[in-house]
Amino acid sequence: MVKKIITFLILATLVSCSSSKPTIATTKKAAAVQRPRVATTKKPAYSKPIGKNYPSTNNTTEVIQSTSKTVVTTDLVNNYILQFKDIAMGNMQKYGIPASIILAQGILESGAGKGDLAIDANNHFGIKCHNDWLGESVRHDDDSAQECFRKYTEASESYRDHALFLVGKKRYASLFTYEKDDYKAWAKGLRACGYATDPNYPDKLISYIERYNLHQYDCQVTGRNYKPFEKSVATKSSTPISTSNTSSNDLSLYEVQKGDTLYSISKKFNVLVDDLKQKNNLSDNALSVGQKLKVK
C-alpha cells in the first residue's frame, strides 16, 4: 500500500514539475487582398482642326430671277457649267443649238441648278407642260398661279427635252436659219419667238455667255478658234473713265458717249443691265449721248 502511495506521489511530482511551453497558435499570414486594377487613360489633348487654305477668288453674288428667285455665286455658276458643258456640246452636235445658248438658258432658267423647279422637278429650262406632254408634272407659280411644269427623273432628261422642244415646235423654226455659233442672234431670236416674256431675256443670255466665256464650247464643236471675250474687250479705250465722262462732282454718274449701250456700260462698271435700268428708272434700253446715268 505504501509503495502505491509513493509511486503516486512520484508521478504527481513529475507531472507538476514537467515544464511545457505554452502553446502558441500560429496562423498563416492572410493573403493580402489586392484592390482591383483600374485602367486609367489620359484624356487625349484636344487639337483644333486645321482648316484648309483655299485660294481666294472673286466669288461675287447675284440674284437670278426666272421661275423663282435664286441667289447664286460665281463659283456656283462655274460648277454648273462644268457639270453640263458636255451635254450642251453633245446637243449642239446633234440638234444644231449653240452650246453657249443651252448653258446660258440653263443658268438663267434653273438658277444654276438651285431654283425651285430644278430641285423639285429637274426642270432646268422652265418648260411648261403644254398639251403634248404625257410625263409627270409639278405645279408652280409663274405668269399665273400654279401653272403646270414638266418634271424629269434627272437633269440630263431636261436638257434633251429642251433640244427636242426647240426642234419640234414650228414657232422656233427661224432659229435654225442662224449660224450655229451666232449666240447673239439666237438670244434675240428666242425672245422674238416667244420663249420668254421678259424683254431683257436676250441681254441676260448674252451677259452669261460673255461673262463665263460660254462661246468657247461653240468653238469646240465647230472647230473654230476661240478668243476669250474678257481679253478681246480689254483694249485701250480712247475715252477712259474719268472726269470727261463722269460728273466731276459725283463719280457715281456716267455720261453716255457715242456708241454706248446699256450692256457696254454695265460691263464697264461691273453692274447688271437690270440694275442700271432700275437705278435710272429706264423703261427700255434707249440711250442718248450726254445722258447721265447712275452707275453706283
Side-chain angles (χ1 to χ4, degrees), residues 63-71 116:
V63 176
I64 297 178
Q65 182 71 52
S66 53
T67 52
S68 62
K69 187 175 182 179
T70 313
V71 179
D116 293 342

Side-chain angles (χ1 to χ4, degrees), residues 11-226:
L11 291 173
T13 302
L14 290 174
V15 170
S16 62
C17 292
S18 64
S19 63
S20 61
K21 292 183 180 179
T23 304
I24 300 175
T26 59
T27 59
K28 291 184 178 180
K29 187 177 180 181
V33 179
Q34 293 184 339
R35 294 182 179 179
R37 296 180 62 187
V38 179
T40 58
T41 56
K42 291 184 178 180
K43 186 177 181 180
Y46 174 75
S47 59
K48 191 175 182 180
I50 301 174
K52 294 181 179 179
N53 293 321
Y54 294 99
S56 58
T57 58
N58 186 21
N59 194 21
T60 57
T61 302
E62 66 174 291
V63 176
I64 297 178
Q65 182 71 52
S66 53
T67 52
S68 62
K69 187 175 182 179
T70 313
V71 179
V72 300
T73 62
T74 302
D75 285 349
L76 183 65
V77 176
N78 279 322
N79 288 337
Y80 182 87
I81 294 166
L82 290 175
Q83 184 178 358
F84 293 106
K85 64 182 179 64
D86 291 333
I87 295 177
M89 286 190 289
N91 283 1
M92 181 177 181
Q93 290 175 323
K94 187 171 183 179
Y95 301 104
I97 305 164
S100 60
I101 286 291
I102 296 171
L103 289 169
Q105 282 195 282
I107 293 167
L108 177 57
E109 297 287 351
S110 76
K114 298 301 180 182
D116 293 342
L117 277 177
I119 293 173
D120 297 339
N122 283 311
N123 190 328
H124 284 237
F125 296 92
I127 300 179
K128 298 178 183 178
C129 293
H130 301 286
N131 295 330
D132 56 347
W133 178 246
L134 302 176
E136 292 187 68
S137 63
V138 294
R139 293 287 173 175
H140 184 78
D141 292 346
D142 192 38
D143 296 326
S144 302
Q146 294 298 288
E147 292 191 77
C148 182
F149 286 86
R150 302 183 181 191
K151 181 178 181 180
Y152 309 94
T153 56
E154 55 186 42
S156 60
E157 290 184 13
S158 177
Y159 269 74
R160 180 175 180 274
D161 192 47
H162 167 258
L164 296 175
F165 183 78
L166 294 182
V167 171
K169 299 288 184 182
K170 290 183 179 180
R171 65 174 174 170
Y172 298 116
S174 61
L175 295 174
F176 296 90
T177 63
Y178 306 140
E179 292 290 333
K180 280 186 179 182
D181 57 356
D182 190 351
Y183 62 86
K184 291 183 178 179
W186 273 81
K188 295 173 183 176
L190 282 166
R191 168 72 177 88
C193 292
Y195 192 98
T197 56
D198 182 1
N200 298 315
Y201 196 76
D203 287 337
K204 290 178 180 179
L205 294 182
I206 293 170
S207 174
Y208 283 121
I209 290 170
E210 296 182 347
R211 268 194 286 159
Y212 292 97
N213 292 306
L214 303 183
H215 186 50
Q216 63 179 302
Y217 304 115
D218 300 335
C219 293
Q220 287 185 36
V221 174
T222 60
R224 297 180 181 178
N225 292 329
Y226 174 69

